[in-house]
Amino acid sequence: MGGTRGTKGSAVRADEDDGRLDAARWGGVLGERATLVQFSSAFCAPCRATRRVLGEVAGMVPGVAHVEIDAEDRLDLVRELGILKTPTVLVLDAAGRVVRRAAGLPRKADVIAALGEAV
């Protein structure tokens, strides 16, 4: 899963104090070990495939949650996080820090590898 690492100085500005993406802001719950946050849109075919891949990975890896956010419904987060296309996936660690970010349809092996950075 290519992309950029989330850092305090990146476009991820959800919580300036510690670089975390507060789950309460997007109505989700963080996984015990990691969270796969997917930004999607209604007519996005790769989004459906991404949902399947991330759901499979979350089901395989204990403590990992998958949350899907409709980009059109959450334009505030889309702007704040610099989401430019769907699907975009953010990999969060247990504390909600973005450790990996990628746009487009991810491969299952790449998602599993990215989780290695989060757990």
Side-chain angles (χ1 to χ4, degrees):
M1 191 165 145
T4 59
R5 293 179 189 271
T7 62
K8 189 172 180 181
S10 73
V12 178
R13 299 179 308 272
D15 187 335
E16 291 294 336
D17 295 329
D18 59 12
R20 296 181 193 184
L21 181 58
D22 182 11
R25 296 211 39 235
W26 40 270
V29 177
L30 291 174
E32 287 180 27
R33 298 176 66 202
T35 306
L36 302 169
V37 178
Q38 174 185 348
F39 283 86
S40 299
S41 53
F43 300 103
C44 167
C47 294
R48 291 188 291 278
T50 298
R51 178 184 312 120
R52 186 179 65 252
V53 168
L54 298 182
E56 288 174 8
V57 171
M60 290 173 26
V61 182
V64 174
H66 170 226
V67 176
E68 188 171 3
I69 298 172
D70 185 316
E72 295 171 28
D73 288 343
R74 295 306 311 265
L75 290 176
D76 58 328
L77 284 177
V78 166
R79 288 183 188 108
E80 181 178 332
L81 298 171
I83 305 297
L84 300 177
K85 65 184 265 186
T86 58
T88 291
V89 177
L90 305 178
V91 179
L92 310 180
D93 66 11
R97 287 182 294 268
V98 178
V99 296
R100 181 69 79 168
R101 165 190 191 119
L105 176 60
R107 295 179 322 152
K108 187 186 291 189
D110 292 336
V111 175
I112 293 169
L115 282 173
E117 296 180 39
V119 295

